[in-house]
Amino acid sequence: MNPGITYRDAGVDLDAARRHTTNIAAMVAGGTGGFAGLVEMPKMRDPLLVSATDGVGTKIALAQKLGRLDGLGQDLVAMCVNDLACTGATPLFFLDYMAVGRLDPEIAGQIVASIAAACAAVGCALVGGETAEHPGVVAPDHLDLAGFAVGVVERDEVLGAHRVREGDLIVGIPSSGLHSNGFSLVRALVDSGALAPDPDLLLEPTRLYPNDVARLRDAGVDLHAASHITGGGFPENLPRVIPEGLRPVVDPTTWERTAAIAAVLDTGQVPDEDAWSTFNMGIGMCLILPRDAAAIATGAIAGARAIGHVEAGDGGLRLG
Amino acid sequence: MNPGITYRDAGVDLDAARRHTTNIAAMVAGGTGGFAGLVEMPKMRDPLLVSATDGVGTKIALAQKLGRLDGLGQDLVAMCVNDLACTGATPLFFLDYMAVGRLDPEIAGQIVASIAAACAAVGCALVGGETAEHPGVVAPDHLDLAGFAVGVVERDEVLGAHRVREGDLIVGIPSSGLHSNGFSLVRALVDSGALAPDPDLLLEPTRLYPNDVARLRDAGVDLHAASHITGGGFPENLPRVIPEGLRPVVDPTTWERTAAIAAVLDTGQVPDEDAWSTFNMGIGMCLILPRDAAAIATGAIAGARAIGHVEAGDGGLRLG
């Protein structure tokens, strides 16, 4: 035996890696043997490929602190496929990247299971992923997640600002809580004792919106645009789908804030403007559509309601 | 002014984030405004979509220590598109995920520029990315990268074990150094003083192989399979593209080890078996093709040479 440095001495646990690969093999379409994942391209008239990447941010740190990791996979998938849905795309496949300090096959398997379940819920194949162990570079319990989603949409069905007209209605779909944004702030509130560390309230997984958007398409609604209320909140995300010369008007009295948003605001520690530019305020997805389609939309999606409209003007979001 | 907790107090620097977005906007196809990236699907007979995700691992930590970050973008792109190339796919688009403790727009911009240059070199569009700041969760200088590549291949042109025949030759293409694997071990050697901390030697960016594979296709070579010699080295990666009942034989005396591999082995600290299962040993990509096509292949790709063949047998790689 050579007494030199082996890869295990350097901190990498190849047995744990093999155990993890075995655990997740059945969850990954096509298995874990190939260099790359292969997916059939659906037959379409004039398809565009749509892609999005995102992470879960520091929600992971709060989930670790509160001992509740099993929703993080849905958070990861939702952050990506909800962005895809804003173009009108149907999700096709997903890959994940997980970076850890020391690989715990049980925790990693739990997260991949949550990813696989969320992919299945939106009809998206989990075709691959990478689990990277970085011993010595980060703490043993370090955990970070990144997701990548690809979907397809017919070129003449792409949603966006180019379809939006003055007078269009804005329909809001409720969020399932804080989703995956603003957690540096939430953690500071929890650490200071201002906010109770309630995992049910603070860690509820991010709602998946692609099926809601698909339901409208199936109902024949002429959807113009969709906005995922993610990092930056309403002021940053809603104007992204409104063309120049028009602006969105939203009436905050038209919906109930979710319990999680209310708890954060009740701390009295978050200035109103910061709350609006950090959190979803209770609405996770906005749909912009012709006024006469609003009743079909609110009938087809539980909890959806008209929350505003599009008017002439400039300067981003108007609350009123 | 409300004296509460703002997002900046919580550690997130939104100005730095905006500066970074402005810096990279010109490098990202379609800009940085949309929720998701859109790419035209090429017209093909019966296309499959191929995807791969990977990171750069702890090479990042050594690059930070030696103050040379500008090759990491190429490493990231290469780790993904070299996997795509193993299926015969043409790279189509790429997205990156960058996690940092505190965002330094200059460093982040340098890395995205390196990603963009590597994408351009293989004809792949950089369509999006996510830069995530995780203050308080990781050290301010924490940096991690994940990449995601999508390509396309005609179904009847997919490379792999199903094409490989007894007697096929194995042609090796030189690596550009250590590529992006084995850096937990390399860092241990540098930290112990056994290996000189030479950035030119240890941090040379990972070679991009897709254009080499495309050159063979253009030359009419009937390529059977390709194996990216990545994590796990020859013993793990070469057998992945060899069908049951056959095995690869490789003669290590047929090529020169690169200077970086030689330096690692010269430390006398790495058992031979560990070196083979950790590093690329000087060959970063193996092509498996009919014996009569070998001369065209070695003529078309600088430095490529026959390094072995496929024989009847089982049990993985045979060195001899």
Side-chain angles (χ1 to χ4, degrees), chain B residues 265-300:
Chain B
L265 294 176
D266 284 350
T267 63
Q269 300 282 309
V270 183
D272 212 53
E273 198 187 322
D274 270 32
W276 276 89
S277 66
T278 304
F279 299 106
N280 61 59
M281 303 304 278
I283 298 288
M285 176 71 78
C286 291
L287 307 173
I288 295 147
L289 34 72
R291 199 164 278 269
D292 59 12
I296 305 176
T298 53

Side-chain angles (χ1 to χ4, degrees), chain A residues 43-48 88 152-158:
Chain A
K43 305 290 176 239
M44 295 171 66
R45 287 181 287 108
D46 186 13
L48 298 179
V152 286
V153 61
E154 294 284 5
R155 185 191 302 263
D156 57 10
E157 294 176 1
V158 174

Side-chain angles (χ1 to χ4, degrees), chain A residues 82-311:
Chain A
N82 290 348
D83 277 355
L84 287 192
C86 294
T87 67
T90 302
L92 206 56
F93 62 88
F94 187 86
L95 296 92
D96 70 286
Y97 171 83
M98 187 187 315
V100 297
R102 175 162 289 282
L103 181 61
D104 178 328
E106 194 179 326
I107 290 176
Q110 199 178 21
I111 291 170
V112 177
S114 168
I115 291 171
C119 284
V122 296
C124 177
L126 175 60
V127 294
E130 167 72 8
T131 305
E133 200 176 8
H134 293 162
V137 174
V138 290
D141 68 347
H142 174 80
L143 172 64
D144 193 24
L145 296 169
F148 303 99
V150 172
V152 286
V153 61
E154 294 284 5
R155 185 191 302 263
D156 57 10
E157 294 176 1
V158 174
L159 305 179
H162 60 288
R163 292 184 181 269
V164 173
R165 301 286 174 262
E166 185 178 347
D168 278 357
L169 273 193
I170 301 173
V171 168
I173 314 180
S175 59
S176 53
L178 298 173
H179 286 183
S180 309
N181 293 109
F183 276 85
S184 290
L185 186 45
V186 171
R187 287 174 55 243
L189 293 169
V190 168
D191 289 346
S192 74
L195 183 61
D198 177 352
D200 292 332
L201 195 69
L202 303 180
L203 296 176
E204 193 176 347
T206 308
R207 179 167 169 165
L208 298 156
Y209 293 102
N211 295 354
D212 293 325
V213 174
R215 201 169 296 122
L216 293 200
R217 194 175 40 228
D218 295 347
V221 169
D222 175 28
L223 187 56
H224 287 172
S227 171
H228 181 201
I229 307 302
T230 175
F234 269 89
E236 193 153 313
N237 290 291
L238 195 45
R240 289 162 78 178
V241 297
I242 307 294
E244 220 171 310
L246 300 180
R247 69 178 168 197
V249 192
V250 162
D251 178 357
T253 67
T254 53
W255 74 89
E256 306 263 322
R257 288 168 185 183
T258 54
I261 299 285
V264 166
L265 294 175
D266 284 350
T267 63
Q269 299 283 309
V270 183
D272 212 54
E273 199 187 322
D274 270 33
W276 276 89
S277 66
T278 303
F279 298 107
N280 61 60
M281 302 306 277
I283 297 289
M285 176 71 79
C286 291
L287 307 173
I288 296 146
L289 33 74
R291 199 164 278 268
D292 59 13
I296 305 176
T298 54
I301 303 170
R305 67 196 62 198
I307 63 167
H309 65 280
V310 177
E311 67 177 13

Side-chain angles (χ1 to χ4, degrees), chain B residues 299-310:
Chain B
I301 303 169
R305 69 196 63 197
I307 63 168
H309 64 281
V310 177

